[in-house]
Amino acid sequence: MANKAVTMEKLVALCKARGIIFPGSEIYGGMGNTWDYGPVGVEIKNNLKRAWWKRFVQESDNSYGVDAAILMNARVWDASGHTTSFSDPKMDCKECKSRHRADTLIEAHSKGKVNPDTMSNAEMEAYIQEHQVHCPICGKFNWTNIRTFNLMFETSRGVTDESQNKIYLRPETAQGEFVNFLNVQRTTRAKVPFGIAQVGKAFRNEITPGNFIFRTIEFEQMEHQWFCKEGTDGEYYDSFKQKAWQFLLDLGFDEKHLRFKDHDKLAHYAKAACDIQYEFPMGWSELNGIHNRTDYDLTRHQEFSGKSMTYIDPITSERYIPYVIEYSIGADRLMLATLSEAYDEETLENGEVRNVMRFHPAIAAYKAAVLPLQKNLAPQAKELWEKLKKYFSVIYDEAGSIGKRYRRQDEIGTPYCITVDFDTLENGTVTVRERDSMEQIRLDLNGVIAFLTEKCIF
Ligand code: GAP
């Protein structure tokens, strides 16, 4: 059962009101399906990316990070297959001129009972004809045939028109990891199996973006490629499924809101592929993917670049092109799932409703808010704030009643409120209020850093 309190409308409104996410280019009337992260949102998203990096790079015995260029040699996309086959089946309504994905029309019409992933374009056209699937915008039935539409954004390089060459904004970060396979292996002296990870922007000219930050044309991916020997790939595919699942549980996701979904139609190079789906406010949808990509990517880059991608085992001298297990998750999509999972409306004993974002403390924008009980305690409170700032992201607030200040912090999910009061002057202790239980304890000023360190670790 989904988090019942949350709807997409409530999330969008809260994000705008509390500085988490704003509509992109808003003062110019916006730019469809682009979003800007605000002061609170950028902290949360950075914390998600940091938690992912810590888990999949820093805490991994044999995984290494890269930060590759967004603009890559166009041949990369020929090798990867994106120039020829990274496309969606598009249909236009001849009446209202709106554009739709044929597979999405079928999914919506059949209420998820028909899986268009397994259908050819001709089969999709036949289904739409037979079931008289009308345009969801104008209600008419007057479609163009299906045309495939490449999702890559094109741009060009060069200073004069004559020297222009077509290049692309990368549609996935994965290729930056594949093209650096040799560089990473050589400089780290890593032995197969090992991993390469990257976090960065990707761009897709999606036909049907939407659902807030769920599907956008510019987004961030966190991708990890695990290079292993053929024969061990099945075992690593299973272990990455488990690692991806555990990461979500450790972030505080309720297992009831997650499920695995195997792909019905595999890409021609894939041996196995599945998603972890999350029960978003609009329903179950893909949160991340785990793919067994075989030796396809390195083999193709070997073919197109002319550089050998063969790995030589230093012990057995065996030569082979490694298989790849890919784990890929969108940072923005994880952000949406995290917001949705954290959202709560709690009815208190006095009947008041408290809005609270129950983030894992490591993910919350601020680990603590420092609050002077009264304004004349501001110097002591600011002294504590200055001290804590060196270690954590902390916020200071002296405006309004203490109750209102607590509520403001609840709404952005700050796990601890530290109040400097008159006892602080007397005995050097502060009140620490915990967000979820609202319980308060007194803590020695000298113990605050150790307390927050222990509570906010991921
Ligand atoms: N390298 C493999 C790859 O890119 P994908 O399933 O196309 O696979 C991986 O994308 C993840 O990236 C998805 O599970 C999703 O979390 C995120 N993602 C993909 N397209 C997106 C979009 N248009 N907007 C936001 N996130 C997206």
Side-chain angles (χ1 to χ4, degrees), residues 86 171-174 204 206 213-217 219-221 223 225 275 286-289 291 293 326 328-330 332-333:
F86 190 56
E172 61 170 16
T173 57
R204 295 182 190 179
E206 299 278 4
I213 52 170
F214 178 81
R215 180 171 287 113
T216 48
I217 54 178
F219 55 98
E220 267 182 289
Q221 286 187 314
E223 298 202 285
Q225 316 296 333
D275 297 333
E286 173 186 346
L287 173 57
N288 67 235
H291 315 121
R293 302 180 65 112
E326 174 180 72
S328 175
I329 180 164
D332 309 271
R333 210 169 273 189

PDB file of all heavy atoms in Angstrom, residues 86 171-174 204 206 213-217 219-221 223 225 275 286-289 291 293 326 328-330 332-333, ligand 1:
ATOM      1  N   PHE A  86      18.077   4.242 -30.433  1.00  0.00           N
ATOM      2  CA  PHE A  86      17.598   4.811 -29.177  1.00  0.00           C
ATOM      3  C   PHE A  86      16.373   5.669 -29.480  1.00  0.00           C
ATOM      4  O   PHE A  86      16.434   6.892 -29.580  1.00  0.00           O
ATOM      5  CB  PHE A  86      18.691   5.649 -28.518  1.00  0.00           C
ATOM      6  CG  PHE A  86      18.358   6.070 -27.117  1.00  0.00           C
ATOM      7  CD1 PHE A  86      18.028   5.146 -26.142  1.00  0.00           C
ATOM      8  CD2 PHE A  86      18.383   7.402 -26.754  1.00  0.00           C
ATOM      9  CE1 PHE A  86      17.720   5.526 -24.850  1.00  0.00           C
ATOM     10  CE2 PHE A  86      18.071   7.809 -25.458  1.00  0.00           C
ATOM     11  CZ  PHE A  86      17.738   6.858 -24.518  1.00  0.00           C
ATOM     12  N   PRO A 171      22.909  10.617 -23.637  1.00  0.00           N
ATOM     13  CA  PRO A 171      21.603  10.174 -23.128  1.00  0.00           C
ATOM     14  C   PRO A 171      21.731   9.225 -21.936  1.00  0.00           C
ATOM     15  O   PRO A 171      20.732   8.821 -21.345  1.00  0.00           O
ATOM     16  CB  PRO A 171      21.016   9.429 -24.332  1.00  0.00           C
ATOM     17  CG  PRO A 171      22.217   8.894 -25.042  1.00  0.00           C
ATOM     18  CD  PRO A 171      23.346   9.851 -24.814  1.00  0.00           C
ATOM     19  N   GLU A 172      22.955   8.835 -21.600  1.00  0.00           N
ATOM     20  CA  GLU A 172      23.208   8.014 -20.405  1.00  0.00           C
ATOM     21  C   GLU A 172      24.665   8.235 -20.015  1.00  0.00           C
ATOM     22  O   GLU A 172      25.483   8.623 -20.863  1.00  0.00           O
ATOM     23  CB  GLU A 172      22.958   6.522 -20.682  1.00  0.00           C
ATOM     24  CG  GLU A 172      23.859   5.940 -21.762  1.00  0.00           C
ATOM     25  CD  GLU A 172      23.796   4.423 -21.880  1.00  0.00           C
ATOM     26  OE1 GLU A 172      22.861   3.812 -21.361  1.00  0.00           O
ATOM     27  OE2 GLU A 172      24.717   3.858 -22.503  1.00  0.00           O
ATOM     28  N   THR A 173      24.972   8.022 -18.746  1.00  0.00           N
ATOM     29  CA  THR A 173      26.363   8.216 -18.314  1.00  0.00           C
ATOM     30  C   THR A 173      27.209   6.965 -18.563  1.00  0.00           C
ATOM     31  O   THR A 173      28.430   7.033 -18.532  1.00  0.00           O
ATOM     32  CB  THR A 173      26.422   8.566 -16.801  1.00  0.00           C
ATOM     33  OG1 THR A 173      25.780   7.525 -16.068  1.00  0.00           O
ATOM     34  CG2 THR A 173      25.743   9.898 -16.519  1.00  0.00           C
ATOM     35  N   ALA A 174      26.553   5.844 -18.805  1.00  0.00           N
ATOM     36  CA  ALA A 174      27.242   4.552 -18.882  1.00  0.00           C
ATOM     37  C   ALA A 174      28.419   4.539 -19.868  1.00  0.00           C
ATOM     38  O   ALA A 174      29.466   3.949 -19.585  1.00  0.00           O
ATOM     39  CB  ALA A 174      26.237   3.471 -19.279  1.00  0.00           C
ATOM     40  N   ARG A 204      17.569  13.461 -22.510  1.00  0.00           N
ATOM     41  CA  ARG A 204      16.755  12.687 -23.465  1.00  0.00           C
ATOM     42  C   ARG A 204      15.580  13.533 -23.909  1.00  0.00           C
ATOM     43  O   ARG A 204      14.872  14.097 -23.066  1.00  0.00           O
ATOM     44  CB  ARG A 204      16.222  11.398 -22.820  1.00  0.00           C
ATOM     45  CG  ARG A 204      17.317  10.438 -22.464  1.00  0.00           C
ATOM     46  CD  ARG A 204      16.784   9.139 -21.863  1.00  0.00           C
ATOM     47  NE  ARG A 204      17.911   8.386 -21.343  1.00  0.00           N
ATOM     48  CZ  ARG A 204      17.846   7.223 -20.737  1.00  0.00           C
ATOM     49  NH1 ARG A 204      16.656   6.652 -20.559  1.00  0.00           N
ATOM     50  NH2 ARG A 204      18.918   6.612 -20.283  1.00  0.00           N
ATOM     51  N   GLU A 206      12.555  13.261 -24.394  1.00  0.00           N
ATOM     52  CA  GLU A 206      11.425  12.352 -24.121  1.00  0.00           C
ATOM     53  C   GLU A 206      10.155  12.848 -24.810  1.00  0.00           C
ATOM     54  O   GLU A 206       9.856  14.041 -24.788  1.00  0.00           O
ATOM     55  CB  GLU A 206      11.172  12.287 -22.609  1.00  0.00           C
ATOM     56  CG  GLU A 206      12.322  11.755 -21.775  1.00  0.00           C
ATOM     57  CD  GLU A 206      12.388  10.235 -21.759  1.00  0.00           C
ATOM     58  OE1 GLU A 206      11.588   9.585 -22.461  1.00  0.00           O
ATOM     59  OE2 GLU A 206      13.263   9.698 -21.046  1.00  0.00           O
ATOM     60  N   ILE A 213       9.381  15.316 -11.288  1.00  0.00           N
ATOM     61  CA  ILE A 213      10.758  15.004 -11.691  1.00  0.00           C
ATOM     62  C   ILE A 213      10.934  13.535 -12.070  1.00  0.00           C
ATOM     63  O   ILE A 213      12.055  13.066 -12.218  1.00  0.00           O
ATOM     64  CB  ILE A 213      11.759  15.396 -10.581  1.00  0.00           C
ATOM     65  CG1 ILE A 213      11.345  14.779  -9.232  1.00  0.00           C
ATOM     66  CG2 ILE A 213      11.878  16.914 -10.476  1.00  0.00           C
ATOM     67  CD1 ILE A 213      12.399  14.919  -8.147  1.00  0.00           C
ATOM     68  N   PHE A 214       9.818  12.805 -12.265  1.00  0.00           N
ATOM     69  CA  PHE A 214       9.942  11.384 -12.601  1.00  0.00           C
ATOM     70  C   PHE A 214      10.587  11.194 -13.970  1.00  0.00           C
ATOM     71  O   PHE A 214      11.543  10.439 -14.130  1.00  0.00           O
ATOM     72  CB  PHE A 214       8.567  10.703 -12.587  1.00  0.00           C
ATOM     73  CG  PHE A 214       8.642   9.251 -12.978  1.00  0.00           C
ATOM     74  CD1 PHE A 214       9.019   8.298 -12.049  1.00  0.00           C
ATOM     75  CD2 PHE A 214       8.357   8.838 -14.273  1.00  0.00           C
ATOM     76  CE1 PHE A 214       9.111   6.953 -12.409  1.00  0.00           C
ATOM     77  CE2 PHE A 214       8.446   7.499 -14.635  1.00  0.00           C
ATOM     78  CZ  PHE A 214       8.824   6.564 -13.702  1.00  0.00           C
ATOM     79  N   ARG A 215      10.039  11.851 -14.978  1.00  0.00           N
ATOM     80  CA  ARG A 215      10.612  11.728 -16.327  1.00  0.00           C
ATOM     81  C   ARG A 215      10.803  13.129 -16.888  1.00  0.00           C
ATOM     82  O   ARG A 215       9.840  13.833 -17.176  1.00  0.00           O
ATOM     83  CB  ARG A 215       9.723  10.894 -17.250  1.00  0.00           C
ATOM     84  CG  ARG A 215      10.326  10.762 -18.640  1.00  0.00           C
ATOM     85  CD  ARG A 215       9.626   9.778 -19.554  1.00  0.00           C
ATOM     86  NE  ARG A 215       9.883   8.403 -19.166  1.00  0.00           N
ATOM     87  CZ  ARG A 215       8.979   7.574 -18.697  1.00  0.00           C
ATOM     88  NH1 ARG A 215       7.732   7.970 -18.557  1.00  0.00           N
ATOM     89  NH2 ARG A 215       9.300   6.338 -18.365  1.00  0.00           N
ATOM     90  N   THR A 216      12.049  13.522 -17.017  1.00  0.00           N
ATOM     91  CA  THR A 216      12.372  14.862 -17.499  1.00  0.00           C
ATOM     92  C   THR A 216      13.311  14.737 -18.691  1.00  0.00           C
ATOM     93  O   THR A 216      13.789  13.645 -19.005  1.00  0.00           O
ATOM     94  CB  THR A 216      13.050  15.680 -16.375  1.00  0.00           C
ATOM     95  OG1 THR A 216      14.085  14.886 -15.802  1.00  0.00           O
ATOM     96  CG2 THR A 216      12.064  16.073 -15.300  1.00  0.00           C
ATOM     97  N   ILE A 217      13.596  15.877 -19.316  1.00  0.00           N
ATOM     98  CA  ILE A 217      14.474  15.813 -20.490  1.00  0.00           C
ATOM     99  C   ILE A 217      15.942  15.987 -20.084  1.00  0.00           C
ATOM    100  O   ILE A 217      16.831  15.642 -20.833  1.00  0.00           O
ATOM    101  CB  ILE A 217      14.040  16.848 -21.557  1.00  0.00           C
ATOM    102  CG1 ILE A 217      13.949  18.259 -20.963  1.00  0.00           C
ATOM    103  CG2 ILE A 217      12.712  16.443 -22.172  1.00  0.00           C
ATOM    104  CD1 ILE A 217      13.565  19.333 -21.977  1.00  0.00           C
ATOM    105  N   PHE A 219      18.341  15.139 -16.647  1.00  0.00           N
ATOM    106  CA  PHE A 219      18.279  14.482 -15.341  1.00  0.00           C
ATOM    107  C   PHE A 219      19.663  13.955 -14.983  1.00  0.00           C
ATOM    108  O   PHE A 219      20.585  14.016 -15.800  1.00  0.00           O
ATOM    109  CB  PHE A 219      17.243  13.345 -15.353  1.00  0.00           C
ATOM    110  CG  PHE A 219      17.470  12.323 -16.448  1.00  0.00           C
ATOM    111  CD1 PHE A 219      18.122  11.125 -16.198  1.00  0.00           C
ATOM    112  CD2 PHE A 219      17.033  12.566 -17.738  1.00  0.00           C
ATOM    113  CE1 PHE A 219      18.333  10.187 -17.200  1.00  0.00           C
ATOM    114  CE2 PHE A 219      17.250  11.634 -18.761  1.00  0.00           C
ATOM    115  CZ  PHE A 219      17.890  10.454 -18.488  1.00  0.00           C
ATOM    116  N   GLU A 220      19.786  13.472 -13.769  1.00  0.00           N
ATOM    117  CA  GLU A 220      21.072  12.910 -13.358  1.00  0.00           C
ATOM    118  C   GLU A 220      20.947  11.410 -13.160  1.00  0.00           C
ATOM    119  O   GLU A 220      19.935  10.940 -12.644  1.00  0.00           O
ATOM    120  CB  GLU A 220      21.558  13.564 -12.066  1.00  0.00           C
ATOM    121  CG  GLU A 220      22.466  14.739 -12.329  1.00  0.00           C
ATOM    122  CD  GLU A 220      22.984  15.355 -11.052  1.00  0.00           C
ATOM    123  OE1 GLU A 220      22.184  15.977 -10.357  1.00  0.00           O
ATOM    124  OE2 GLU A 220      24.169  15.222 -10.769  1.00  0.00           O
ATOM    125  N   GLN A 221      21.999  10.720 -13.558  1.00  0.00           N
ATOM    126  CA  GLN A 221      22.034   9.270 -13.347  1.00  0.00           C
ATOM    127  C   GLN A 221      23.181   8.911 -12.413  1.00  0.00           C
ATOM    128  O   GLN A 221      24.199   9.610 -12.374  1.00  0.00           O
ATOM    129  CB  GLN A 221      22.267   8.547 -14.679  1.00  0.00           C
ATOM    130  CG  GLN A 221      21.060   8.528 -15.584  1.00  0.00           C
ATOM    131  CD  GLN A 221      21.310   7.656 -16.801  1.00  0.00           C
ATOM    132  OE1 GLN A 221      22.361   7.751 -17.429  1.00  0.00           O
ATOM    133  NE2 GLN A 221      20.348   6.824 -17.143  1.00  0.00           N
ATOM    134  N   GLU A 223      25.339   5.580 -12.136  1.00  0.00           N
ATOM    135  CA  GLU A 223      25.481   4.291 -12.818  1.00  0.00           C
ATOM    136  C   GLU A 223      26.770   3.596 -12.379  1.00  0.00           C
ATOM    137  O   GLU A 223      27.798   4.237 -12.146  1.00  0.00           O
ATOM    138  CB  GLU A 223      25.480   4.485 -14.336  1.00  0.00           C
ATOM    139  CG  GLU A 223      24.164   5.077 -14.825  1.00  0.00           C
ATOM    140  CD  GLU A 223      23.897   4.804 -16.303  1.00  0.00           C
ATOM    141  OE1 GLU A 223      24.550   5.459 -17.146  1.00  0.00           O
ATOM    142  OE2 GLU A 223      23.056   3.945 -16.599  1.00  0.00           O
ATOM    143  N   GLN A 225      29.070   0.131 -13.442  1.00  0.00           N
ATOM    144  CA  GLN A 225      29.302  -1.018 -14.332  1.00  0.00           C
ATOM    145  C   GLN A 225      30.277  -1.960 -13.638  1.00  0.00           C
ATOM    146  O   GLN A 225      31.358  -1.537 -13.222  1.00  0.00           O
ATOM    147  CB  GLN A 225      29.912  -0.572 -15.687  1.00  0.00           C
ATOM    148  CG  GLN A 225      29.277   0.651 -16.307  1.00  0.00           C
ATOM    149  CD  GLN A 225      27.816   0.464 -16.689  1.00  0.00           C
ATOM    150  OE1 GLN A 225      27.374  -0.651 -16.966  1.00  0.00           O
ATOM    151  NE2 GLN A 225      27.053   1.555 -16.695  1.00  0.00           N
ATOM    152  N   ASP A 275      13.966  -4.296 -13.250  1.00  0.00           N
ATOM    153  CA  ASP A 275      13.876  -2.989 -12.590  1.00  0.00           C
ATOM    154  C   ASP A 275      13.520  -3.236 -11.130  1.00  0.00           C
ATOM    155  O   ASP A 275      12.915  -4.253 -10.797  1.00  0.00           O
ATOM    156  CB  ASP A 275      12.736  -2.150 -13.189  1.00  0.00           C
ATOM    157  CG  ASP A 275      12.966  -1.834 -14.656  1.00  0.00           C
ATOM    158  OD1 ASP A 275      14.144  -1.788 -15.068  1.00  0.00           O
ATOM    159  OD2 ASP A 275      11.960  -1.644 -15.372  1.00  0.00           O
ATOM    160  N   GLU A 286       9.195   2.309 -12.653  1.00  0.00           N
ATOM    161  CA  GLU A 286      10.628   1.994 -12.534  1.00  0.00           C
ATOM    162  C   GLU A 286      11.380   3.039 -11.715  1.00  0.00           C
ATOM    163  O   GLU A 286      11.281   4.231 -11.974  1.00  0.00           O
ATOM    164  CB  GLU A 286      11.231   1.942 -13.945  1.00  0.00           C
ATOM    165  CG  GLU A 286      12.729   1.792 -13.952  1.00  0.00           C
ATOM    166  CD  GLU A 286      13.327   1.883 -15.365  1.00  0.00           C
ATOM    167  OE1 GLU A 286      12.563   1.792 -16.347  1.00  0.00           O
ATOM    168  OE2 GLU A 286      14.551   2.047 -15.459  1.00  0.00           O
ATOM    169  N   LEU A 287      12.134   2.540 -10.732  1.00  0.00           N
ATOM    170  CA  LEU A 287      13.026   3.425  -9.981  1.00  0.00           C
ATOM    171  C   LEU A 287      14.459   3.226 -10.454  1.00  0.00           C
ATOM    172  O   LEU A 287      15.209   4.172 -10.649  1.00  0.00           O
ATOM    173  CB  LEU A 287      12.892   3.120  -8.480  1.00  0.00           C
ATOM    174  CG  LEU A 287      13.858   3.806  -7.517  1.00  0.00           C
ATOM    175  CD1 LEU A 287      13.795   5.323  -7.650  1.00  0.00           C
ATOM    176  CD2 LEU A 287      13.532   3.417  -6.077  1.00  0.00           C
ATOM    177  N   ASN A 288      14.861   1.973 -10.626  1.00  0.00           N
ATOM    178  CA  ASN A 288      16.214   1.721 -11.143  1.00  0.00           C
ATOM    179  C   ASN A 288      16.258   0.428 -11.934  1.00  0.00           C
ATOM    180  O   ASN A 288      15.297  -0.352 -11.915  1.00  0.00           O
ATOM    181  CB  ASN A 288      17.254   1.708 -10.029  1.00  0.00           C
ATOM    182  CG  ASN A 288      17.118   0.565  -9.054  1.00  0.00           C
ATOM    183  OD1 ASN A 288      17.011   0.780  -7.859  1.00  0.00           O
ATOM    184  ND2 ASN A 288      17.096  -0.671  -9.532  1.00  0.00           N
ATOM    185  N   GLY A 289      17.356   0.232 -12.643  1.00  0.00           N
ATOM    186  CA  GLY A 289      17.483  -0.968 -13.467  1.00  0.00           C
ATOM    187  C   GLY A 289      18.771  -1.716 -13.153  1.00  0.00           C
ATOM    188  O   GLY A 289      19.778  -1.116 -12.770  1.00  0.00           O
ATOM    189  N   HIS A 291      21.065  -4.643 -15.218  1.00  0.00           N
ATOM    190  CA  HIS A 291      21.126  -5.286 -16.530  1.00  0.00           C
ATOM    191  C   HIS A 291      22.386  -6.125 -16.651  1.00  0.00           C
ATOM    192  O   HIS A 291      23.459  -5.676 -16.250  1.00  0.00           O
ATOM    193  CB  HIS A 291      21.154  -4.237 -17.653  1.00  0.00           C
ATOM    194  CG  HIS A 291      20.158  -3.127 -17.470  1.00  0.00           C
ATOM    195  ND1 HIS A 291      20.509  -1.814 -17.381  1.00  0.00           N
ATOM    196  CD2 HIS A 291      18.810  -3.156 -17.333  1.00  0.00           C
ATOM    197  CE1 HIS A 291      19.427  -1.064 -17.211  1.00  0.00           C
ATOM    198  NE2 HIS A 291      18.376  -1.851 -17.169  1.00  0.00           N
ATOM    199  N   ARG A 293      24.654  -6.930 -19.375  1.00  0.00           N
ATOM    200  CA  ARG A 293      24.872  -6.409 -20.733  1.00  0.00           C
ATOM    201  C   ARG A 293      25.834  -7.262 -21.532  1.00  0.00           C
ATOM    202  O   ARG A 293      26.282  -6.849 -22.607  1.00  0.00           O
ATOM    203  CB  ARG A 293      25.401  -4.978 -20.660  1.00  0.00           C
ATOM    204  CG  ARG A 293      24.480  -4.017 -19.922  1.00  0.00           C
ATOM    205  CD  ARG A 293      25.039  -2.615 -19.878  1.00  0.00           C
ATOM    206  NE  ARG A 293      25.138  -2.028 -21.187  1.00  0.00           N
ATOM    207  CZ  ARG A 293      24.391  -0.995 -21.625  1.00  0.00           C
ATOM    208  NH1 ARG A 293      23.517  -0.435 -20.838  1.00  0.00           N
ATOM    209  NH2 ARG A 293      24.546  -0.522 -22.836  1.00  0.00           N
ATOM    210  N   GLU A 326      25.293  -3.984 -15.088  1.00  0.00           N
ATOM    211  CA  GLU A 326      25.040  -2.554 -14.904  1.00  0.00           C
ATOM    212  C   GLU A 326      23.946  -2.337 -13.860  1.00  0.00           C
ATOM    213  O   GLU A 326      22.908  -3.000 -13.886  1.00  0.00           O
ATOM    214  CB  GLU A 326      24.585  -1.935 -16.224  1.00  0.00           C
ATOM    215  CG  GLU A 326      24.160  -0.481 -16.070  1.00  0.00           C
ATOM    216  CD  GLU A 326      23.699   0.127 -17.388  1.00  0.00           C
ATOM    217  OE1 GLU A 326      22.603  -0.246 -17.854  1.00  0.00           O
ATOM    218  OE2 GLU A 326      24.437   0.931 -17.950  1.00  0.00           O
ATOM    219  N   SER A 328      21.811   0.969 -12.581  1.00  0.00           N
ATOM    220  CA  SER A 328      21.597   2.357 -12.985  1.00  0.00           C
ATOM    221  C   SER A 328      20.372   2.927 -12.275  1.00  0.00           C
ATOM    222  O   SER A 328      19.290   2.329 -12.311  1.00  0.00           O
ATOM    223  CB  SER A 328      21.376   2.383 -14.502  1.00  0.00           C
ATOM    224  OG  SER A 328      21.056   3.677 -14.922  1.00  0.00           O
ATOM    225  N   ILE A 329      20.552   4.091 -11.655  1.00  0.00           N
ATOM    226  CA  ILE A 329      19.424   4.717 -10.959  1.00  0.00           C
ATOM    227  C   ILE A 329      19.465   6.220 -11.191  1.00  0.00           C
ATOM    228  O   ILE A 329      20.536   6.831 -11.175  1.00  0.00           O
ATOM    229  CB  ILE A 329      19.421   4.354  -9.444  1.00  0.00           C
ATOM    230  CG1 ILE A 329      18.235   5.004  -8.711  1.00  0.00           C
ATOM    231  CG2 ILE A 329      20.720   4.717  -8.756  1.00  0.00           C
ATOM    232  CD1 ILE A 329      17.953   4.393  -7.353  1.00  0.00           C
ATOM    233  N   GLY A 330      18.314   6.809 -11.448  1.00  0.00           N
ATOM    234  CA  GLY A 330      18.240   8.250 -11.655  1.00  0.00           C
ATOM    235  C   GLY A 330      18.249   8.966 -10.307  1.00  0.00           C
ATOM    236  O   GLY A 330      17.481   8.607  -9.403  1.00  0.00           O
ATOM    237  N   ASP A 332      17.301  12.005  -9.738  1.00  0.00           N
ATOM    238  CA  ASP A 332      16.058  12.771  -9.578  1.00  0.00           C
ATOM    239  C   ASP A 332      14.888  11.831  -9.269  1.00  0.00           C
ATOM    240  O   ASP A 332      13.994  12.156  -8.503  1.00  0.00           O
ATOM    241  CB  ASP A 332      15.775  13.572 -10.850  1.00  0.00           C
ATOM    242  CG  ASP A 332      16.991  14.374 -11.240  1.00  0.00           C
ATOM    243  OD1 ASP A 332      17.123  15.504 -10.774  1.00  0.00           O
ATOM    244  OD2 ASP A 332      17.842  13.842 -11.986  1.00  0.00           O
ATOM    245  N   ARG A 333      14.936  10.660  -9.895  1.00  0.00           N
ATOM    246  CA  ARG A 333      13.863   9.699  -9.638  1.00  0.00           C
ATOM    247  C   ARG A 333      13.962   9.174  -8.211  1.00  0.00           C
ATOM    248  O   ARG A 333      12.955   8.968  -7.530  1.00  0.00           O
ATOM    249  CB  ARG A 333      13.932   8.559 -10.647  1.00  0.00           C
ATOM    250  CG  ARG A 333      12.579   8.005 -10.897  1.00  0.00           C
ATOM    251  CD  ARG A 333      12.579   7.073 -12.049  1.00  0.00           C
ATOM    252  NE  ARG A 333      12.375   7.734 -13.326  1.00  0.00           N
ATOM    253  CZ  ARG A 333      12.175   7.073 -14.454  1.00  0.00           C
ATOM    254  NH1 ARG A 333      12.137   5.759 -14.443  1.00  0.00           N
ATOM    255  NH2 ARG A 333      12.001   7.719 -15.579  1.00  0.00           N
TER     256      ARG A 333
HETATM  257  N1  GAP B   1      22.577   2.927 -18.876  1.00  0.00           N
HETATM  258  C1  GAP B   1      21.315   2.325 -18.771  1.00  0.00           C
HETATM  259  C2  GAP B   1      20.213   3.265 -18.762  1.00  0.00           C
HETATM  260  O1  GAP B   1      20.382   4.452 -18.975  1.00  0.00           O
HETATM  261  P1  GAP B   1      17.641   3.436 -18.378  1.00  0.00           P
HETATM  262  O2  GAP B   1      16.683   2.410 -17.834  1.00  0.00           O
HETATM  263  O3  GAP B   1      17.321   4.073 -19.649  1.00  0.00           O
HETATM  264  O4  GAP B   1      19.034   2.668 -18.444  1.00  0.00           O
HETATM  265  C3  GAP B   1      18.350   4.216 -16.008  1.00  0.00           C
HETATM  266  O5  GAP B   1      17.870   4.543 -17.279  1.00  0.00           O
HETATM  267  C4  GAP B   1      17.664   5.029 -14.923  1.00  0.00           C
HETATM  268  O6  GAP B   1      17.766   6.428 -15.218  1.00  0.00           O
HETATM  269  C5  GAP B   1      16.158   4.770 -14.807  1.00  0.00           C
HETATM  270  O7  GAP B   1      15.909   3.640 -14.004  1.00  0.00           O
HETATM  271  C6  GAP B   1      15.679   6.051 -14.154  1.00  0.00           C
HETATM  272  O8  GAP B   1      15.904   6.002 -12.752  1.00  0.00           O
HETATM  273  C7  GAP B   1      16.604   7.095 -14.766  1.00  0.00           C
HETATM  274  N2  GAP B   1      15.964   7.769 -15.908  1.00  0.00           N
HETATM  275  C8  GAP B   1      15.890   7.336 -17.195  1.00  0.00           C
HETATM  276  N3  GAP B   1      15.261   8.227 -17.983  1.00  0.00           N
HETATM  277  C9  GAP B   1      14.911   9.263 -17.192  1.00  0.00           C
HETATM  278  C10 GAP B   1      14.231  10.506 -17.410  1.00  0.00           C
HETATM  279  N4  GAP B   1      13.805  10.869 -18.612  1.00  0.00           N
HETATM  280  N5  GAP B   1      14.042  11.328 -16.343  1.00  0.00           N
HETATM  281  C11 GAP B   1      14.493  10.990 -15.117  1.00  0.00           C
HETATM  282  N6  GAP B   1      15.143   9.842 -14.855  1.00  0.00           N
HETATM  283  C12 GAP B   1      15.362   8.981 -15.857  1.00  0.00           C
END
